[in-house]
Amino acid sequence: MARDYAARCPVYPVRNAWLVAVAVLLAAQEIGAPKVQVAEELEAYPTESVELSCQFNDGGGLTKLTQVSWIWEPSDGHRDNIAVYHPVYGQSFPNVAFKDRVVFLHNSLENPSIRISNLRMSDAGRYTCEYATYPTGNEQGTTTLIMLSKPKNSANGVTVQAGTKSVVVARCEAADAKPAATIEWLAPVGGNHSTSTTSGPDGTVTVRSEYRLVPTPADNGREVICRVNQKTQKQPWVYPIKLSVEYLPSVSIEGYDHNWYVGRSDATLVCLANANPEPTTITWTAASGPLPETVVVEGNKLTVRKVDDAVNTTFICEVKNRLGSSRHQITTVVIAEQNTGRTCRE
């Protein structure tokens, strides 16, 4: 009899083992898969809107959904309901901070996705879509909302005086950014910089950087560049700054050719000055006393109409600006006859 049964109902162990393995695998996948499906992370900007998706996935169809809630957990850890949906009692939005800013996109327990409008920096945090179900109890999924803020960038130079101490000559700021910006300096003038950060109550960060050097007259007009890098910028923000260094006049006299002979006409000296701020006055004097009668002064130019022994003296040019004055002098020697050979020049 056993032989007859075996002949009528043969057993295929390999095929049966494969079916069992598939069944176990499907069951394991169903058990391991989250029932509440949400996005892990979203990024958004203030004043914009964001949609938080949520769907309940019950492959066996055995779970009874009772109610769904959206729970907001900001960075301080305080949890609060912001939206509740019940198939009988309808919708509720208990958090005043989200009043008129949050809506359900679908009137459905299976898909209770929401939209939050007019976003604020303070809306950042964890948003949990939580179901009350039977018979398994609560099921949930969490989305982290990251609020981003573009930096308000600015930079400026600081007018300084030439000296021997290191001072701030330029500043750069990236204000109210999230995440924090980084500031770099591109400068060929050999200074250094310091950076500080300040956190705002809404999670933004303001970064300030100061560029310092020991300023010299040669640094006036040179350029340093502030570069701000931050995630929300498509490319770095770059701002060139021209340095403003003030200094006393640097004075020199040109024009004397060592050939001031008696009777020569229109011998000229020119007083040159380099200063910041610009010179306010240029004054010619003579070491021997008042300027000779044959001398005419026009601005920075001194002209001897007719050379004689009276201009055998030292001429002094004094230049003043707002910071003070500097002077330069030259001694002119009157010779009896014109030097027709090669002249010597200072």
Side-chain angles (χ1 to χ4, degrees):
M1 189 174 206
R3 291 179 181 175
D4 293 341
Y5 177 82
R8 293 196 310 271
C9 305
V11 177
Y12 303 97
V14 174
R15 176 181 176 84
N16 288 348
W18 181 82
L19 291 173
V20 170
V22 171
V24 171
L25 180 60
L26 290 175
Q29 290 178 340
E30 183 65 26
I31 293 173
K35 291 185 177 181
V36 181
Q37 297 180 340
V38 297
E40 289 187 11
E41 187 176 280
L42 294 174
E43 294 179 342
Y45 293 88
T47 73
E48 294 185 348
S49 298
V50 67
E51 293 185 1
L52 302 179
S53 62
C54 180
Q55 286 186 312
F56 193 87
N57 181 25
D58 183 14
L62 302 177
T63 304
K64 179 176 177 57
L65 306 179
T66 305
Q67 176 179 286
V68 64
S69 302
W70 279 96
I71 303 169
W72 173 54
E73 183 180 351
S75 56
D76 61 12
H78 176 72
R79 290 166 56 91
D80 200 5
N81 285 345
I82 63 169
V84 180
Y85 177 76
H86 190 279
V88 176
Y89 301 112
Q91 303 174 2
S92 174
F93 305 98
N95 190 302
V96 177
F98 289 86
K99 183 176 175 57
D100 300 326
R101 296 197 298 130
V102 58
V103 295
F104 282 100
L105 297 177
H106 308 280
N107 204 30
S108 165
L109 275 177
E110 289 76 15
N111 188 355
S113 302
I114 60 173
R115 178 191 296 117
I116 304 175
S117 304
N118 193 23
L119 286 167
R120 307 165 182 169
M121 290 302 298
S122 57
D123 290 338
R126 290 160 50 88
Y127 289 79
T128 298
C129 179
E130 184 173 272
Y131 279 95
T133 71
Y134 180 86
T136 57
N138 289 357
E139 301 281 356
Q140 66 182 28
T142 298
T143 297
T144 299
L145 177 61
I146 298 174
M147 293 300 300
L148 302 176
S149 178
K150 295 180 180 180
K152 301 178 183 69
N153 300 319
S154 61
N156 65 281
V158 180
T159 299
V160 298
Q161 293 184 13
T164 58
K165 295 182 179 180
S166 177
V167 294
V168 175
V169 296
R171 293 188 175 98
C172 190
E173 179 178 278
D176 304 328
K178 188 177 181 182
T182 59
I183 295 179
E184 298 176 273
W185 290 95
L186 307 177
V189 294
N192 55 71
H193 69 275
S194 60
T195 303
S196 62
T197 60
T198 304
S199 298
D202 57 358
T204 59
V205 178
T206 295
V207 180
R208 298 180 180 89
S209 187
E210 295 182 332
Y211 193 84
R212 309 174 68 94
L213 58 76
V214 178
T216 67
D219 293 321
N220 184 53
R222 287 184 173 177
E223 191 173 86
V224 296
I225 297 174
C226 171
R227 183 166 66 186
V228 177
N229 297 283
Q230 203 258 1
K231 178 178 181 178
T232 65
Q233 297 179 159
K234 293 182 179 179
Q235 58 188 14
W237 182 83
V238 176
Y239 192 90
I241 304 168
K242 281 193 174 181
L243 300 184
S244 176
V245 180
E246 295 183 337
Y247 50 92
L248 288 169
S250 173
V251 184
S252 63
I253 298 175
E254 293 185 354
Y256 181 58
D257 59 3
H258 296 270
N259 194 24
W260 283 27
Y261 56 91
V262 175
R264 176 177 173 175
S265 61
D266 295 333
T268 301
L269 300 177
V270 179
C271 181
L272 301 178
N274 177 28
N276 184 33
E278 290 295 319
T280 54
T281 60
I282 298 177
T283 305
W284 285 97
T285 58
S288 57
L291 290 174
E293 293 182 357
T294 57
V295 169
V296 176
V297 172
E298 294 179 358
N300 68 331
K301 184 184 294 186
L302 181 149
T303 302
V304 180
R305 295 301 188 192
K306 200 81 166 179
V307 174
D308 57 20
D309 286 339
V311 295
N312 197 37
T313 186
T314 297
F315 289 103
I316 304 167
C317 177
E318 183 177 34
V319 180
K320 294 182 179 179
N321 70 358
R322 180 168 51 80
L323 301 183
S325 63
S326 300
R327 59 172 55 191
H328 186 69
Q329 65 185 39
I330 191 168
T331 299
T332 56
V333 178
V334 176
I335 57 179
E337 297 180 358
Q338 180 180 6
N339 183 2
T340 57
R342 186 173 182 180
T343 61
C344 301
R345 296 181 181 271
E346 287 188 348

